[in-house]
Amino acid sequence: MSFEWPWQYNFPPFFTLQPNVDTRQKQLAAWCSLVLSFCRHRKLYTLDVLEAQESPVFNNKKIERKLSVEAIQVVFEELRKKGNLEWLDKNKSRCLIMWRRPEEWGKLIYQWVSKNGMVNSVFTLYELSNGDDTEKEEFHGLEDWMLLRSLQALQAEGKAEMITMDDGKGVKFF
Amino acid sequence: MDRFVWTNGLLEMNETLVIQQRGVRLYDGEDKAKLDVGVVLLSTHRLLWRDQKNNECCICIPLSQVIFFEEQAAGIGKSAKIVVHLHPVLENKEPGPYQQSKYSYIKLSFKEHGQIEFYRRLTEEMTQKRWENTPVSQPIPTGVGPKAGRTRAVGIVGIERKLEEKRKETDKNISEAFEDLSKLMEKAKEMVEVSKSIANKIKDKQGDITEDETIRFKSYLLSMGIANPVTRETHGSGTQYHIQLAKQLGDILQAPLEERGGMMALTEVYCLVNRARGMELLSPEDLVNACKMFESLKLPLRLRVFDSGVMVVQLQSHSEEEMIASALDNVSDKGSLTAEEFAKLLGLSVLLAKERLLLAEKMGHLCRDDSVEGLRFYPNLF
């Protein structure tokens, strides 16, 4: 399924950081939602800033416009404030994109677990993210760090417990 | 390429090598020359090229044959080049690698870079034209006489030289004529120094000098046009001169302002007013001070300063909202506009057009698109 670009994507001013404060707020909001939906579509969980410049998100070759590095940083900062982004290093060159927050992932996983009547069973992390049973689920292919956080969120809610097993980590659902 | 001649590659007596660069391929116009990659050499007199693999193969062209040259930037898969435009072939030219060519220019393709330095040196040599000072005899593979070097001084180069001499003469005449003026300017400088020191003395000795003397000194200073530190503080109340001037401006500027849609940049006003006056021209300070009094004198004009610092005189009746609304209409009509296009559309100066667009953007009606193509304004669809 191909990605549906929002109307702003083909509007040249979208790629210039607007000086008018009100206009900028709306612009940044549109950028945030574009970045998140793009990452969700491509199942991207990390972004590298230098690579991002050339990615179609920030670089629309058709209208020959691209977002400057400074503007990209502003967008990322906005995402960080909203809780959808976390920097992996001090230099701000790589970041984690959480187009779905850990709590939301945790909820999805728990729903699947209870729907299949597998409450009280133990799963390895690998089974959850890469097992055959979960193939059709949205959280299939979820990267480890995200899976971990989601399960920790569930743990905080008392719906799961992390277990350390011989060959790795596992989780038990209640 | 048919301007090149075979040469043994040796430099003449007064000829010096300036720079050389390997990895250069020659082009006859747009076509690759039927030569391999070689070394290009620039001397004070000639441009030479030698085949890297076969040193015997060496060709050259006198620098006087060069009309002009330009850089051609590198592209994908293409090296950077220097394009050299040449005079037509000389009648008694020596044999060279090409008998004829349909192009009057050649290209040097720098496969191993070095074009920046080469271009710089070539520019230097072409400016200095050192070959004119020390003409060398043509390299003599077939015994052409030494005169060949001299004949090149006639023709275009000769005409250029004559023009240059004429220009120097005119320059000298003008400087002589203005010698008196520069003496006057020196005297004026001394006057200014004197009056400045007097002004300082007044400032320091406030209270020691009597009323009379102070007033006298102040009037001297005013007549010399020096800003007296004392009156500057009381400037807010304005002088009679400025008041009268403001009233006069109010009359003069009505019609022009209406013609230009109610707004004129202060510089335009300055030019207009001074052109009209002919004599007793206004200084910029006087103009600004007079304009600042518009409001207090209840004249129908206003001096307005934009965020960017641009100052305009506008009619009081000028409605900002109307202007912005019409600006938005224009932009929406055309999809997007640059300041230049907008200016052309409305018959305004580019400066004022830009100010209006910026104002509309500030109000949130327009948004900007800043790219390598320039600054465009779009209706704010956000």
Side-chain angles (χ1 to χ4, degrees):
Chain A
M1 197 179 68
S2 70
F3 187 65
E4 258 190 54
W5 298 101
W7 69 264
Q8 292 98 332
Y9 186 64
N10 288 313
F11 188 46
F14 193 45
F15 291 83
T16 307
L17 201 55
Q18 295 298 319
N20 181 313
V21 176
D22 297 321
T23 319
R24 180 186 290 209
Q25 273 183 346
K26 295 192 198 143
Q27 181 193 26
L28 285 179
W31 268 114
C32 287
S33 84
L34 172 57
V35 172
L36 289 179
S37 46
F38 185 79
C39 289
R40 169 193 258 120
H41 185 258
R42 296 270 184 99
K43 300 231 180 202
L44 296 173
Y45 298 98
T46 55
L47 282 182
D48 182 287
V49 176
L50 290 174
E51 281 172 17
Q53 268 197 297
E54 297 307 315
S55 144
V57 189
F58 297 114
N59 187 344
N60 185 344
K61 294 213 162 77
K62 196 169 75 158
I63 59 169
E64 289 177 337
R65 293 283 184 276
K66 58 199 241 189
L67 211 53
S68 69
V69 182
E70 297 82 32
I72 295 182
Q73 290 283 4
V74 173
V75 174
F76 280 2
E77 177 60 17
E78 198 63 27
L79 282 168
R80 189 194 66 79
K81 280 195 230 164
K82 287 189 177 170
N84 293 101
L85 184 147
E86 222 180 82
W87 287 110
L88 281 173
D89 62 333
K90 267 212 188 83
N91 300 332
K92 299 205 177 170
S93 63
R94 277 186 78 79
C95 60
L96 301 174
I97 289 281
M98 295 178 271
W99 37 270
R100 198 171 251 150
R101 286 178 299 117
E103 296 79 19
E104 293 163 346
W105 281 121
K107 198 160 143 202
L108 276 178
I109 296 175
Y110 192 78
Q111 274 176 355
W112 173 80
V113 166
S114 51
K115 198 171 66 173
N116 289 317
M118 300 207 235
V119 180
N120 277 317
S121 337
V122 174
F123 291 88
T124 62
L125 296 198
Y126 186 80
E127 275 179 289
L128 284 177
S129 59
N130 294 83
D132 296 329
D133 294 332
T134 65
E135 243 181 76
K136 291 213 178 65
E137 299 304 312
E138 275 189 61
F139 55 82
H140 185 85
L142 194 61
E143 288 188 4
D144 275 347
W145 60 271
M146 192 51 163
L147 183 56
L148 210 56
R149 287 189 198 200
S150 327
L151 296 175
Q152 280 163 352
L154 277 180
Q155 187 166 262
E157 289 173 34
K159 294 203 171 120
E161 191 184 313
M162 304 290 297
I163 313 171
T164 323
M165 306 190 302
D166 295 327
D167 49 349
K169 281 195 160 59
V171 60
K172 179 170 179 181
F173 295 97
F174 300 121
Chain B
M1 278 298 295
D2 56 340
R3 276 69 154 173
F4 275 90
V5 300
W6 294 114
T7 175
N8 56 11
L10 297 174
L11 296 176
E12 295 302 304
M13 275 284 287
N14 295 318
E15 190 181 15
T16 6
L17 183 62
V18 174
I19 184 174
Q20 64 184 1
Q21 176 62 44
R22 349 172 349 109
V24 175
R25 182 189 285 284
L26 294 177
Y27 279 68
D28 176 27
E30 295 304 318
D31 311 323
K32 277 193 190 153
K34 50 179 165 67
L35 301 160
D36 286 337
V37 176
V39 186
V40 69
L41 304 97
L42 174 66
S43 79
T44 46
H45 292 64
R46 297 176 288 168
L47 186 66
L48 305 97
W49 181 91
R50 181 186 292 125
D51 190 326
Q52 258 164 239
K53 298 208 186 91
N54 172 18
N55 285 345
E56 306 282 340
C57 171
C58 189
I59 54 175
C60 72
I61 186 169
L63 287 180
S64 50
Q65 283 257 272
V66 176
I67 305 179
F68 86 99
F69 54 96
E70 58 197 356
E71 291 176 280
Q72 190 177 326
I76 307 173
K78 294 183 201 287
S79 320
K81 299 180 176 55
I82 294 182
V83 185
V84 187
H85 295 262
L86 305 167
H87 285 292
V89 186
L90 293 168
E91 280 184 332
N92 53 346
K93 180 186 139 316
E94 301 296 312
Y98 277 67
Q99 285 302 95
Q100 63 199 30
S101 162
K102 59 180 182 193
Y103 295 102
S104 62
Y105 64 97
I106 58 151
K107 295 193 192 184
L108 311 171
S109 174
F110 290 79
K111 303 212 152 320
E112 295 178 18
H113 301 290
Q115 71 277 5
I116 301 175
E117 189 61 25
F118 199 92
Y119 182 87
R120 193 173 75 78
R121 293 307 189 93
L122 185 56
T123 315
E124 267 176 30
E125 290 308 312
M126 289 305 295
T127 318
Q128 290 174 10
K129 291 190 176 26
R130 287 195 263 179
W131 69 86
E132 287 181 13
N133 306 333
T134 57
V136 298
S137 53
Q138 273 290 73
I140 314 176
T142 53
V144 176
K147 276 228 163 168
R150 279 265 126 187
T151 46
R152 276 182 184 81
V154 188
I156 294 187
V157 171
I159 295 176
E160 281 179 350
R161 261 228 224 110
K162 281 200 198 109
L163 283 172
E164 178 69 24
E165 278 172 19
K166 220 171 173 186
R167 195 190 62 78
K168 283 198 188 127
E169 264 277 341
T170 323
D171 236 4
K172 206 169 73 158
N173 289 340
I174 293 179
S175 350
E176 275 173 9
F178 276 98
E179 245 177 52
D180 295 329
L181 260 186
S182 52
K183 288 209 180 89
L184 175 62
M185 274 168 47
E186 279 192 33
K187 282 276 175 253
K189 218 183 351 181
E190 287 171 28
M191 290 267 291
V192 170
E193 293 299 333
V194 167
S195 31
K196 270 208 190 128
S197 70
I198 294 176
N200 285 333
K201 281 201 191 120
I202 288 186
K203 208 165 61 159
D204 294 337
K205 289 193 181 169
Q206 206 65 31
D208 287 333
I209 310 183
T210 65
E211 260 310 314
D212 266 337
E213 279 178 285
T214 319
I215 293 176
R216 231 172 348 123
F217 272 126
K218 272 195 212 166
S219 66
Y220 285 156
L221 290 175
L222 265 177
S223 66
M224 282 196 245
I226 302 288
N228 185 315
V230 176
T231 57
R232 200 181 260 153
E233 282 145 28
T234 56
H235 169 261
S237 58
T239 68
Q240 269 295 68
Y241 174 58
H242 288 143
I243 292 173
Q244 292 305 324
L245 186 54
K247 290 192 188 146
Q248 196 179 56
L249 286 173
D251 288 331
I252 303 176
L253 293 176
Q254 274 294 112
L257 275 175
E258 267 158 35
E259 266 175 43
R260 288 168 178 65
M263 193 187 279
M264 275 171 76
L266 202 57
T267 46
E268 288 174 70
V269 172
Y270 178 76
C271 294
L272 201 88
V273 169
N274 276 334
R275 225 182 302 139
R277 285 169 76 116
M279 309 199 309
E280 296 196 7
L281 304 179
L282 290 179
S283 74
E285 293 88 37
D286 285 335
L287 180 63
V288 173
N289 291 333
C291 288
K292 285 186 183 159
M293 315 201 75
F294 282 150
E295 193 153 351
S296 57
L297 291 174
K298 305 245 189 309
L299 293 166
L301 306 180
R302 289 288 178 273
L303 178 68
R304 181 176 165 183
V305 185
F306 284 111
D307 296 332
S308 52
V310 171
M311 294 167 97
V312 299
V313 172
Q314 65 181 54
L315 285 173
Q316 203 192 1
S317 53
H318 173 103
S319 154
E320 203 56 53
E321 294 80 29
E322 261 180 54
M323 292 297 134
I324 294 186
S326 83
L328 181 57
D329 283 336
N330 285 324
V331 176
S332 312
D333 249 353
K334 304 273 177 191
S336 72
L337 285 176
T338 62
E340 290 82 18
E341 290 166 0
F342 189 50
K344 218 175 185 179
L345 204 63
L346 287 172
L348 279 183
S349 68
V350 179
L351 194 64
L352 289 185
K354 189 156 185 201
E355 285 305 323
R356 196 167 288 178
L357 290 173
L358 286 175
L359 203 59
E361 182 192 38
K362 203 160 136 190
M363 303 268 116
H365 297 292
L366 297 179
C367 58
R368 66 167 64 188
D369 166 38
D370 208 347
S371 68
V372 290
E373 296 167 8
L375 184 58
R376 286 192 151 266
F377 287 89
Y378 285 76
N380 187 357
L381 299 176
F382 284 117

